[in-house]
Amino acid sequence: MDSILIDTSAKTTAESWLGEFAAALASGNPALLALTWNLHTTSGAPAIAQRVVPAVARMAPRGLTLAAGRTPPRPVRRAGTDAIEAIFTFETTVGPCNGVLRLVSEGGKPRAWTLMTALDEIRGHEDPANGKRWQDVDWKRNFGGENWADRRRQAVAYENRDPAVLVVGTAQAGLMIAARLSMLGVDTLAIDREKRIGDSWRRRYHALTLHNETRVNHFPYMPFPRSWPVFIPKDMLANWFELYAEAMELNVWTATELTAATNDEAASRWTVTLKRADGSERIMHPRHVVFCNGVSTLPKTPDLPGLADFRGAVRHSGDAGSGTDWKGKRALVLGTGTSGHDVTQDLVVSGAAEVTIIQNSATLIVSLKEAQAPYALYDEDISFEDCDLLATSFPYPIYERAHQRMTKMNAEADGELLEGLKKRGFKLTSGADGSGWQIMYQNRGGGYYFDAGCSQMIVDGRVGLIQFADIERFCAEGARMKDGTVRQADLIVLATGYSGQKEAVRHLLGDATTDRIGPIWGFDEEGELAGMWRPTGQPGLWFLAGGLAQCRIFSKVLALQIKARELSLIS
Ligand SMILES: Cc1cc2nc3c(=O)[nH]c(=O)nc-3n(C[C@H](O)[C@H](O)[C@H](O)COP(=O)(O)OP(=O)(O)OC[C@H]3O[C@@H](n4cnc5c(N)ncnc54)[C@H](O)[C@@H]3O)c2cc1C
């Protein structure tokens, strides 16, 4: 950053730029981004102008000012670039909005590098979490009348009404969107085919503990207790889900499966069939269906040559259970992502006689400690709310560059471990263009492992390693190698990942509707996640999924879009 930005205070520079920006908007002169009721990233003056001009006319942004009471403008370094970062607020015809501005110095003058705007609330329909309780019922001693429990029973029963929104799935994505919508006064029913809320986590392998830290994983409205461990064990998280649903007064039906859904375009509503635990069916007509059915729900089980001949047990990692069941036995684990490594480690420490991991493709390995790098923003001395806002404010090229830098630094810090793995024949990758694990997750839902000890076991030879390409076929005893030897096994674990959300709903919606949806997950050409928490090709059909932090941040974005449609602010 050159002298003009250093000499001038961050606040004055940001204030002065915002003043000019506000004047340009008021004069109808196209400047930068504005509200579009969708998620878009636009670069370059002509493209920005094309998108902004109609939006400015419609939304009438006004009152741009530095956000009071939030992180003040300050010099930062983002993706290796020095900038002044400022949070600002403004109003539109819809409601109050937030923005994040980054200024860099060009020829001694401050110039906008990135600018992000986001609707915060819909005026007149504010989220009560911001201090305004929408339930005006104060539950005074109403002798002879209904009490809170009566009202809750009626709300959950849906005897004489249908919800406006049906949420499919009650893991974190489903619970968070149900909470956001309920707080906005949108009648929402969340269902899950599992018996208990949280069972999708409970059923995962015994040893599973979260791989990212508790401090970034909080739920909206209800942060985890401060006494909780740095990494949350799966059952502890699952029990929190139940508690959250209860505390947030969510309408949930468990042991209820969505078995069919058809859209009536003319009536702008769905006909959904819900199969309940007692075998009965309930037909409902919600206006919106939100699929929170998980990116890791439908196991991929590849058709492997000879596997049908194997005499031992074959399990997908999602149903691998506990390593203690395989004490003294031999196991082959196919897959070197998170599940493959975790299941392998569990088998080894539980006393399996011999465990060999089979690598199919190059894998990104990063130590658990270094893998927390993308969350460094949450270490800055600013509020959690500001961290969430800043986290969404990077256009893809800058986001990618930041991840390339982190990935390089991580690999240097983990140098010894990575060298050890290479010596053992383990194939490593750093992701597309070296962009690291998070972009891998957002593109394909896996392909990496945060080392919690298993990589060292491979380095030390406690875990065997073979390349899938060296296997000729599976056979009754295990795996027949191309060199003629046989790797004996009692158990084969397929840690081969999961199919995406869209494929998981194809049988419910049919091909025509599913094909209309468009791409789901993975980055689109603008660098936004395709079809996630934004309109899909099928009106009234939405998707939400991802890690806990992603679900927390983007459940708000999705809830506002649905609420706006319920209010007919947008069709
Ligand atoms: C091994 C592993 C480790 C992970 N570790 C982390 C981590 O450390 N940190 C992190 O942030 N993320 C992690 N993730 C990623 C992600 O957080 C989880 O996959 C998480 O479970 C996703 O939550 P979800 O709400 O999207 O869906 P899921 O947990 O997959 O839940 C989907 C729910 O939808 C229900 N459902 C599906 N179809 C229907 C239907 N037709 N009718 C009714 N119900 C239906 C299912 O029963 C299920 O309960 C991990 C994932 C895996 C597989």
Side-chain angles (χ1 to χ4, degrees):
M1 218 182 310
D2 66 25
S3 57
I4 190 104
L5 290 186
I6 292 167
D7 292 343
T8 324
S9 81
K11 181 166 179 280
T12 315
T13 309
E15 235 161 18
S16 136
W17 191 92
L18 276 178
E20 284 175 30
F21 181 53
L25 286 179
S27 70
N29 200 2
L32 283 162
L33 290 181
L35 212 70
T36 55
W37 282 120
N38 204 328
L39 282 96
H40 287 296
T41 302
T42 314
S43 303
I48 290 170
Q50 203 179 20
R51 179 154 283 156
V52 168
V53 172
V56 167
R58 209 172 46 243
M59 297 298 185
R62 56 193 175 270
L64 266 83
T65 177
L66 290 176
R70 300 192 73 156
T71 305
R74 59 200 177 127
V76 292
R77 173 169 278 216
R78 302 288 183 215
T81 298
D82 290 317
I84 285 175
E85 188 175 80
I87 298 179
F88 63 97
T89 57
F90 62 102
E91 293 275 337
T92 66
T93 48
V94 177
C97 301
N98 292 316
V100 177
L101 165 69
R102 286 189 193 88
L103 297 172
V104 289
S105 175
E106 207 177 82
K109 289 209 169 77
R111 184 176 164 82
W113 179 38
T114 70
L115 187 136
M116 188 274 289
T117 62
L119 178 68
D120 191 34
E121 302 216 78
I122 298 175
R123 197 177 297 108
H125 303 275
E126 288 80 7
D127 190 320
N130 297 339
K132 302 154 224 136
R133 290 190 172 274
W134 63 271
Q135 290 188 47
D136 52 3
V137 189
D138 62 4
W139 303 117
K140 56 175 121 13
R141 275 139 283 279
N142 181 12
F143 297 108
E146 285 174 333
N147 74 0
W148 173 85
D150 300 324
R151 290 277 183 93
R152 284 296 301 134
R153 262 192 300 276
Q154 283 167 25
V156 177
Y158 284 98
E159 265 167 19
N160 305 311
R161 72 184 209 288
D162 286 353
V165 181
L166 178 76
V167 173
V168 184
T170 62
Q172 73 243 15
L175 294 175
M176 290 186 196
I177 185 64
R180 299 266 194 201
L181 286 168
S182 303
M183 290 292 257
L184 292 177
V186 179
D187 192 349
T188 302
L189 168 65
I191 61 156
D192 204 299
R193 61 186 170 210
E194 299 280 2
K195 278 206 195 79
R196 279 174 71 189
I197 295 173
D199 275 353
S200 66
W201 279 100
R202 270 187 211 96
R203 286 200 303 102
R204 288 186 178 145
Y205 51 85
H206 198 68
L208 179 57
T209 288
L210 289 191
H211 298 82
N212 46 12
E213 295 182 7
T214 303
R215 70 197 168 93
V216 298
N217 281 338
H218 295 296
F219 274 52
Y221 311 117
M222 266 178 76
F224 298 117
R226 295 181 70 143
S227 58
W228 275 36
V230 175
F231 297 105
I232 304 175
K234 68 176 176 83
D235 299 280
M236 193 177 190
L237 182 70
N239 291 352
W240 176 263
F241 285 8
E242 281 183 314
L243 197 142
Y244 184 79
E246 192 55 49
M248 294 304 300
E249 304 173 80
L250 306 184
N251 298 334
V252 175
W253 288 3
T254 50
T256 302
E257 182 166 10
L258 174 72
T259 54
T262 50
N263 185 256
D264 179 348
E265 214 172 309
S268 299
R269 65 175 203 175
W270 291 86
T271 297
V272 298
T273 309
L274 307 183
K275 190 164 171 218
R276 312 227 42 200
D278 61 6
S280 65
E281 282 187 347
R282 169 77 189 265
I283 307 290
M284 283 183 165
H285 300 289
R287 286 183 288 278
H288 304 267
V289 176
V290 185
F291 277 106
C292 298
N293 55 330
V295 278
S296 310
T297 301
L298 191 67
K300 266 194 219 157
T301 46
D303 190 14
L304 299 169
L307 191 64
D309 302 333
F310 179 57
R311 277 204 301 260
V314 180
R315 303 249 193 291
H316 188 271
S317 58
D319 296 312
S322 169
T324 52
D325 299 339
W326 300 94
K327 220 176 168 136
K329 306 280 192 211
R330 295 156 304 185
L332 293 172
V333 179
L334 173 57
T336 46
T338 302
S339 297
H341 279 91
D342 273 1
V343 169
T344 296
Q345 187 168 1
D346 190 35
L347 286 162
V348 172
V349 298
S350 301
E354 191 182 295
V355 188
T356 301
I357 198 163
I358 304 171
Q359 184 171 32
N360 184 36
S361 54
T363 311
L364 186 148
I365 303 294
V366 54
S367 65
L368 201 50
K369 178 169 167 266
E370 299 302 324
Q372 308 305 317
Y375 308 114
L377 187 60
Y378 288 80
D379 290 332
E380 292 178 12
D381 194 15
I382 59 176
S383 74
F384 195 69
E385 190 192 2
D386 288 353
C387 290
D388 274 1
L389 181 67
L390 296 179
T392 58
S393 66
F394 297 99
Y396 186 79
I398 296 166
Y399 179 76
E400 185 187 42
R401 196 181 340 141
H403 280 278
Q404 283 165 335
R405 290 168 62 84
M406 272 180 248
T407 306
K408 200 159 168 279
M409 285 190 297
N410 292 166
E412 277 161 21
D414 288 337
E416 202 181 320
L417 177 74
L418 300 182
E419 267 315 302
L421 284 168
K422 263 195 247 170
K423 276 196 194 125
R424 292 272 299 152
F426 194 94
K427 297 201 170 108
L428 295 167
T429 175
S430 54
D433 300 322
S435 59
W437 68 265
Q438 194 155 55
I439 289 181
M440 279 178 113
Y441 178 63
Q442 290 167 326
N443 264 323
R444 48 173 282 210
Y448 54 85
Y449 168 55
F450 299 172
D451 180 32
C454 191
S455 293
Q456 196 58 48
M457 287 177 167
I458 296 172
V459 173
D460 296 343
R462 282 180 79 188
V463 167
L465 171 69
I466 54 182
Q467 293 297 325
F468 183 73
D470 294 334
I471 297 176
E472 191 184 300
R473 59 186 286 111
F474 290 91
C475 58
E477 300 82 23
R480 184 178 306 283
M481 308 301 292
K482 286 183 177 157
D483 66 7
T485 58
V486 171
R487 295 292 183 121
Q488 309 268 344
D490 305 293
L491 168 71
I492 294 177
V493 179
L494 303 176
T496 39
Y498 298 85
S499 299
Q501 281 187 290
K502 187 168 145 183
E503 285 320 300
V505 300
R506 190 173 282 280
H507 71 286
L508 300 172
L509 302 174
D511 286 339
T513 307
T514 309
D515 292 341
R516 209 163 32 238
I517 293 171
I520 297 296
W521 205 251
F523 292 100
D524 68 11
E525 64 287 349
E526 290 180 359
E528 298 289 346
L529 272 189
M532 296 302 297
W533 42 79
R534 60 198 289 211
T536 64
Q538 170 61 58
L541 184 63
W542 307 88
F543 288 88
L544 180 68
L548 287 127
Q550 258 179 325
C551 289
R552 177 186 66 246
I553 293 171
F554 291 106
S555 54
K556 174 174 175 177
V557 173
L558 176 52
L560 284 171
Q561 292 176 79
I562 293 178
K563 178 72 183 179
R565 280 165 176 80
E566 286 297 284
L567 293 169
S568 302
L569 295 178
I570 183 172
S571 55

